[in-house]
Amino acid sequence: MLNLMSRLKKSLQKTQSSLTQRMSHIVLKNTIDEDEIEELEEILITADMGVPITMELIDSVRAKVKASKDMTDDIYGFLRESLRTYLPDEWKETNKVKVLLVFGVNGSGKTTTIAKLAKKYKDEGRKVLLAAADTFRAAAVEQLRVWSKRLEIPMIEKADGADPSSVIYEALEGMKARGCDLLIIDTAGRLHTNKNLMDEMSKMKRTIAQHVSSSELRTQMILDATTGNNGLMQARQFDKTIGIDELILAKFDSSAKGGFIFSIARELKLPVKYLGIGEGVDDLLPFSRDDFIEALFER
Amino acid sequence: MFDSLGDKFNNVFRYIRGTGKMSEKNIDEAVRSVKMALLEADVDYKVVKDFVADVKKRVIGQEVTKNILPEQQFVKIIHEELTEIMGKSNIDLTCANIGTTYLMVVGIQGSGKTTACGKLAFLLQSQKKKVLLVSTDIRRPAAITQLKILAKKANASFFDPEGEKDPCKIVKNVSEYVRHKDYDYVIFDTAGRLELDEPLMKELTQIKIILKPHEILFVADSMMGQSALKVARSFDENIGVDGVILNKLDGDTRGGVALSVKKVLGKPIKFMGLGEKLVDLEVFHPERLASRILGMGDVVSLVEKAKKTVGDKEAEYFEKKIRKANLDFDDFLRQLQYIKKMGSLKDILAMLPGANKLKNIPTDDKQMVHVEAMILSMTPYERQHPHMINPSRRKRIAKGSGCEVNQVNRLLKQFETMKKMMKKVTQGKSKDIMKNMMSRF
């Protein structure tokens, strides 16, 4: 765990050192000038925090500096606290979950993340079954099949172009016979603006609801950490269509900072469960709110 | 796409129109709104800063010309600046003088490289070029199979690496293979890699040294945020990028990347990806995109798209019909079918000038199915003589199409309005309408 934490910090630090340097002088005086406001704006915007949150934070920093009597007041501490209020509380794992429905826009990293999740649950002693419900993209089934073989986890598949819900139906029916207690479903990438594909997604959820109770299903949306403000629009639409239980932020080992999760948390109150930090099957890091923010403001 | 940015600009212009002139203060206000709109569109922070400074300088330095509304001046300036940033005009692919042209496609994971390779092959094949597709992606499971399937669909040739696990060796084998073949293009797909991954970036450099490609295309996801330029720059610094393919523009991303890439990288955007199908790749036209951002529509693209699906003869026929304003339901049905071929109604609306102001317009393609069903439930006589459709006929049509009578009523009413509009446009009042439309911008 310590090892994972240091990996997270390492991946964040490369951009954070500049942040600390640039902001440390603000606390030494009781005023904040327009250049400094602009600097703060740049830091927050380039972290993909989005305009509304950036403006909110800047306003509160302005007010804070103005009201501050104590020269040692800590702007970081203040920002850290403010950011914490955006993210929901820590999320608790329950053992009830029987079905994981994984979705997201094209190229967000669904299949790779599913391999990581499957490995994790297998290691925890769960009997995992994979369902290849991406019957649209060329070779998507083959991609999951390679993982299925590597991880020695069984997989349900149908011919290309089959109705994804029928794949899911078959997998749900086959779970018991195979002695599996966790089904992980890979779905085709779809843009949230494509109504037909979103309808297809609702149908998949209905199929699942006929087999398991809502507490046994967990819906996970994969978001690409390099996304900008569109991340919120994606989450908004998927949440509206099928309801998101939790988010997974993939490609966090890039130089992107994934600040858009604050906008999503603010509007939709959705927690981030994991960070994807590489292409290896173990490169999945449990998300912790405090560590995430702490690492952002590491001195 | 770009709807919200267009809306934002429109708000700014309405504001200026409200005040009647451009003063220092309302310029500041307007410029700030422009800045926020661009930032919300994920345009790179530094690019926005420069852009806003340039615009302000130009606006302040300008005399307010009589007879031109201040907002029109503002639009003109912003449009020019946007076009300037995105590059002046579309630049073709670099070709070999003689023989085979080698293209190399690079980018981070999930940006859409493999799909883009398939689309590019399809586009070139449709121009009667002979294309060979090669995958050097030995990393992602089934990436090679994916390209093989796409090659088949695009009617292009595919090079089978036969289990070779070294990308450089694959490239060498291809060079041998194509020596006495007459391929016009060989397109190399590469494994996705993050900009910070040094070993993989080095691998890319090695591939480049062996291949000596005529053009390296960087594939960018248009939904990317502020890190987009860091990523693009890293690829450019490591192997040198010649052009950009901007992908996934069919969503609701405001695609600020389009503005940033050219400005910071100095590399042109050559193509844009507008969907998952092989046909969904278009040549990038900066002026049109700038217009689209401003909510001025993209009529040229629409006309081209229509020509591609409808064909010249048909287009001529409709033009005549429209000019005479004697359109009937048979024509309407045919048009509907063409629209269906052209893509979703929403995409088409996005290209129409002023369409971003038509809120609540049905962009649901299912409604088009209803309309089609209703027309198909009419007799040929009814289709040619819509005014003959009396209440009992309406009832029958509703029954036949599984719709409500009020839906049939609405359709007939819409059809009448459309005909009236066409008459106006074609009987010399078009100037007024155009003027009316222009004043909205």
Side-chain angles (χ1 to χ4, degrees):
Chain A
M1 186 60 212
L2 205 77
N3 183 29
L4 289 178
M5 194 53 221
S6 66
R7 280 173 82 176
L8 171 61
K9 278 182 186 166
K10 207 181 138 204
S11 68
L12 282 165
Q13 245 163 8
K14 53 195 179 254
T15 42
Q16 294 329 308
S17 54
S18 59
L19 182 142
T20 16
Q21 274 167 18
R22 286 146 82 187
M23 286 193 59
S24 55
H25 60 279
I26 296 176
V27 288
L28 297 175
K29 48 193 177 77
N30 272 20
T31 55
I32 185 159
D33 59 38
E34 284 314 303
D35 284 348
E36 285 159 344
I37 288 286
E38 198 162 286
E39 243 173 76
L40 184 57
E41 181 185 274
E42 179 174 354
I43 291 163
L44 296 170
I45 288 285
T46 51
D48 287 314
M49 290 275 187
V51 171
I53 289 187
T54 299
M55 292 304 125
E56 271 171 37
L57 287 171
I58 284 179
D59 285 348
S60 62
V61 166
R62 263 191 223 264
K64 173 79 181 165
V65 173
K66 207 175 169 190
S68 154
K69 296 243 156 53
D70 187 354
M71 301 274 276
T72 60
D73 255 1
D74 179 6
I75 290 288
Y76 298 109
F78 176 72
L79 271 177
R80 188 161 43 211
E81 274 311 309
S82 309
L83 283 169
R84 197 186 306 237
T85 60
Y86 288 108
L87 295 180
D89 283 338
E90 312 288 293
W91 182 91
K92 282 189 189 71
E93 176 95 37
T94 59
N95 287 321
K96 267 191 184 161
V97 61
K98 263 189 175 169
V99 178
L100 282 183
L101 180 62
V102 182
F103 49 87
V105 299
N106 314 64
S108 51
K110 286 174 294 302
T111 311
T112 309
T113 306
I114 282 171
K116 295 175 189 175
L117 288 169
K119 164 87 168 24
K120 177 189 162 297
Y121 282 110
K122 193 191 173 197
D123 289 350
E124 286 172 9
R126 301 287 300 257
K127 296 266 177 289
V128 182
L129 179 65
L130 296 172
D134 182 355
T135 53
F136 178 78
R137 206 207 66 198
V141 175
E142 282 85 345
Q143 189 179 345
L144 193 66
R145 196 191 296 133
V146 172
W147 282 115
S148 151
K149 280 189 185 139
R150 272 188 210 166
L151 299 168
E152 295 176 336
I153 291 172
M155 177 180 110
I156 301 287
E157 63 176 284
K158 276 192 161 186
D160 276 354
D163 180 359
S165 290
S166 75
V167 180
I168 294 173
Y169 180 84
E170 204 163 288
L172 286 163
E173 289 283 309
M175 266 178 92
K176 224 181 198 164
R178 289 164 179 268
C180 295
D181 58 12
L182 179 67
L183 176 66
I184 306 181
I185 303 167
D186 186 16
T187 61
R190 64 200 72 224
L191 288 186
H192 51 293
T193 48
N194 189 321
K195 192 169 178 299
N196 292 341
L197 291 181
M198 291 307 270
D199 287 347
E200 183 187 87
M201 198 86 229
S202 328
K203 186 180 168 190
M204 287 186 234
K205 200 191 170 189
R206 285 198 301 275
T207 308
I208 299 165
Q210 282 163 6
H211 283 79
V212 298
S213 70
S214 62
S215 63
E216 291 169 325
L217 165 68
R218 194 170 299 143
T219 55
Q220 293 182 319
M221 175 166 180
I222 312 294
L223 281 152
D224 182 335
T226 65
T227 311
N229 293 315
N230 197 248
L232 174 61
M233 292 191 246
Q234 293 170 19
R236 200 184 272 155
Q237 200 54 49
F238 275 103
D239 195 40
K240 202 173 137 200
T241 311
I242 54 160
I244 302 170
D245 290 326
E246 57 205 23
L247 308 168
I248 297 177
L249 201 57
K251 300 180 216 173
F252 197 62
D253 46 333
S254 70
S255 52
K257 290 168 240 173
F260 62 88
I261 65 158
F262 288 94
S263 315
I264 296 177
R266 186 176 86 142
E267 186 181 314
L268 305 167
K269 308 276 174 273
L270 293 175
V272 180
K273 183 77 187 298
Y274 297 106
L275 303 174
I277 48 165
E279 283 187 302
V281 79
D282 291 314
D283 295 331
L284 194 68
L285 193 66
F287 180 87
S288 139
R289 173 178 69 169
D290 288 348
D291 288 348
F292 188 84
I293 296 171
E294 206 62 41
L296 260 157
F297 290 94
E298 197 75 58
R299 267 179 197 273
Chain B
M1 79 198 212
F2 293 120
D3 268 4
S4 303
L5 189 53
D7 287 351
K8 276 268 157 55
F9 279 128
N10 283 333
N11 280 341
V12 176
F13 305 141
R14 202 170 304 130
Y15 175 84
I16 295 177
R17 184 162 51 210
T19 57
K21 59 175 184 210
M22 282 199 260
S23 69
E24 177 95 37
K25 197 173 161 251
N26 67 27
I27 287 171
D28 272 347
E29 194 85 15
V31 163
R32 184 164 171 78
S33 301
V34 170
K35 176 179 166 183
M36 288 305 145
L38 292 171
L39 286 177
E40 277 180 7
D42 294 313
V43 182
D44 185 75
Y45 187 82
K46 290 217 165 67
V47 174
V48 172
K49 240 174 113 177
D50 292 350
F51 178 79
V52 164
D54 284 353
V55 166
K56 204 175 158 184
K57 227 192 290 164
R58 280 194 61 181
V59 175
I60 288 175
Q62 204 133 75
E63 283 289 310
V64 178
T65 323
K66 270 181 197 166
N67 302 328
I68 297 179
L69 291 170
E71 81 227 41
Q72 285 173 342
Q73 251 173 301
F74 208 101
V75 176
K76 193 169 155 270
I77 290 167
I78 289 174
H79 185 264
E80 282 170 10
E81 292 283 333
L82 281 180
T83 314
E84 176 85 32
I85 287 182
M86 288 193 287
K88 282 242 161 56
S89 63
N90 159 57
I91 297 161
D92 288 334
L93 284 173
T94 319
C95 280
N97 288 332
I98 319 162
T100 312
T101 302
Y102 294 97
L103 304 176
M104 187 170 159
V105 178
V106 300
I108 71 167
Q109 291 94 339
S111 50
K113 288 175 298 301
T114 309
T115 312
C117 286
K119 289 176 182 175
L120 211 50
F122 181 81
L123 187 82
L124 291 166
Q125 286 281 142
S126 71
Q127 294 167 1
K128 305 268 181 285
K129 305 280 189 227
K130 216 175 150 197
V131 182
L132 176 72
L133 281 170
V134 182
S135 175
T136 59
D137 186 355
I138 42 113
R139 224 161 257 106
R140 181 167 61 92
I144 296 174
T145 318
Q146 186 186 349
L147 193 67
K148 188 177 176 178
I149 295 169
L150 291 174
K152 202 174 162 199
K153 280 189 188 161
N155 219 357
S157 308
F158 175 75
F159 179 83
D160 193 339
E162 287 165 348
E164 178 55 62
K165 288 274 177 254
D166 177 359
C168 292
K169 278 212 182 112
I170 296 176
V171 174
K172 278 179 196 155
N173 292 345
V174 172
S175 309
E176 278 299 310
Y177 175 79
V178 297
R179 188 156 292 163
H180 297 295
K181 309 261 187 334
D182 56 347
Y183 289 112
D184 297 303
Y185 287 91
V186 181
I187 304 173
F188 287 83
D189 188 15
T190 60
R193 61 205 78 213
L194 290 178
E195 71 285 4
L196 302 170
D197 194 329
E198 276 168 33
L200 284 186
M201 281 309 219
K202 248 184 212 137
E203 178 195 279
L204 219 48
T205 318
Q206 283 166 348
I207 295 178
K208 186 198 167 182
I209 290 168
I210 299 167
L211 180 62
K212 295 185 193 71
H214 296 88
E215 175 132 355
I216 296 176
L217 289 163
F218 171 72
V219 179
D221 183 333
S222 63
M223 296 186 287
M224 273 184 115
Q226 296 284 330
S227 58
L229 283 176
K230 253 178 254 161
V231 173
R233 200 180 270 147
S234 164
F235 275 92
D236 192 37
E237 279 164 6
N238 275 287
I239 54 161
V241 168
D242 300 305
V244 177
I245 298 177
L246 196 58
N247 251 345
K248 303 184 209 173
L249 269 169
D250 47 329
D252 58 357
T253 175
R254 299 180 215 163
V257 191
L259 295 182
S260 318
V261 164
K262 177 75 204 289
K263 173 101 176 177
V264 174
L265 233 52
K267 304 295 153 71
I269 301 164
K270 299 201 170 177
F271 299 98
M272 47 190 190
L274 293 162
E276 293 184 75
K277 287 186 238 82
L278 285 177
V279 289
D280 297 327
L281 186 77
E282 283 182 18
V283 169
F284 183 79
H285 290 277
E287 328 79 39
R288 294 188 202 169
L289 207 56
S291 300
R292 204 129 125 180
I293 293 169
L294 289 172
M296 286 158 79
D298 188 8
V299 180
V300 191
S301 284
L302 187 62
V303 170
E304 267 185 14
K305 206 166 184 180
K307 264 195 184 158
K308 239 201 249 167
T309 35
V310 178
D312 286 343
K313 252 193 190 158
E314 282 286 296
E316 232 167 75
Y317 167 81
F318 276 120
E319 211 188 310
K320 242 185 230 162
K321 275 262 181 182
I322 289 169
R323 205 160 276 159
K324 284 186 184 160
N326 64 353
L327 211 67
D328 60 33
F329 271 113
D330 274 328
D331 304 321
F332 199 59
L333 187 64
R334 268 159 83 181
Q335 278 179 328
L336 268 185
Q337 277 151 358
Y338 289 129
I339 287 174
K340 260 179 27 195
K341 267 193 221 161
M342 278 161 70
S344 85
L345 203 52
K346 207 178 156 195
D347 293 345
I348 295 165
L349 276 175
M351 293 187 217
L352 286 172
N356 61 343
K357 286 187 205 69
L358 300 169
K359 303 286 177 207
N360 308 321
I361 204 163
T363 49
D364 182 355
D365 289 321
K366 258 194 192 140
Q367 297 207 19
M368 283 179 48
V369 178
H370 289 164
V371 170
E372 208 180 328
M374 284 188 268
I375 300 175
L376 287 170
S377 296
M378 296 173 188
T379 63
Y381 183 77
E382 283 167 349
R383 286 183 215 169
Q384 282 153 25
H385 306 87
H387 60 277
M388 288 296 298
I389 304 177
N390 59 23
S392 84
R393 284 176 191 265
R394 289 179 195 201
K395 229 186 245 169
R396 198 206 70 245
I397 292 166
K399 232 179 178 177
S401 59
C403 294
E404 301 289 328
V405 178
N406 63 16
Q407 278 175 289
V408 180
N409 291 340
R410 210 180 309 140
L411 173 67
L412 290 168
K413 209 170 167 189
Q414 278 170 350
F415 187 74
E416 267 317 300
T417 324
M418 204 174 95
K419 263 176 101 171
K420 263 185 213 153
M421 277 286 285
M422 276 180 187
K423 241 181 209 153
K424 264 191 197 163
V425 176
T426 48
Q427 289 172 1
K429 286 183 191 162
S430 58
K431 262 188 209 155
D432 293 347
I433 292 172
M434 284 309 284
K435 215 172 158 189
N436 198 359
M437 268 168 95
M438 284 315 287
S439 72
R440 284 152 159 263
F441 296 125

